[in-house]
């Protein structure tokens, strides 16, 4: 994948740890860092969506059974 470059600063030990970890899984350090960053963002977005849904449920705790959903939409 062609793209732009991003530079991060790491201590030597951090660099070795990350490089070795990526190599153990057969991917480049760049691919590992890209995946790790994107997964972290996805996790944070999922958590925020859950918090919103939980707050909505707490405000109006109505549940619908699977059978009721099936009757309504199937």
């Amino acid at each position: 994948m062609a793209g732009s470059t991003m530079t991060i600063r790491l201590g030597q030990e951090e660099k070795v740890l990350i490089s070795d970890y990526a190599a153990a899984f057969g991917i480049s350090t760049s691919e590992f860092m890209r995946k790790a960053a994107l997964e972290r963002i996805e996790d944070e977005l999922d958590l925020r969506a859950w918090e919103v849904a939980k707050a909505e449920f707490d405000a109006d705790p109505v549940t619908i059974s699977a059978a009721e959903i099936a009757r309504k939409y199937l």
Side-chain angles (χ1 to χ4, degrees), residues 6-69:
M6 178 180 284
T7 302
I8 61 170
R9 297 196 187 284
L10 301 168
Q12 185 61 30
E13 288 180 12
E14 295 169 325
K15 180 181 176 186
V16 169
L17 176 65
I18 292 168
S19 296
D20 289 350
Y21 189 87
F25 288 94
I27 60 174
S28 68
T29 303
S30 179
E31 179 68 7
F32 170 74
M33 295 297 288
R34 185 183 73 76
K35 284 183 176 182
L38 293 174
E39 286 174 8
R40 173 65 186 263
I41 291 167
E42 182 180 1
D43 289 348
E44 290 290 331
L45 293 174
D46 288 347
L47 178 58
R48 288 185 187 155
W50 179 86
E51 289 169 344
V52 168
K54 177 76 167 99
E56 288 175 7
F57 176 78
D58 288 345
D60 185 20
V62 175
T63 60
I64 301 170
S65 71
E68 290 173 295
I69 297 279

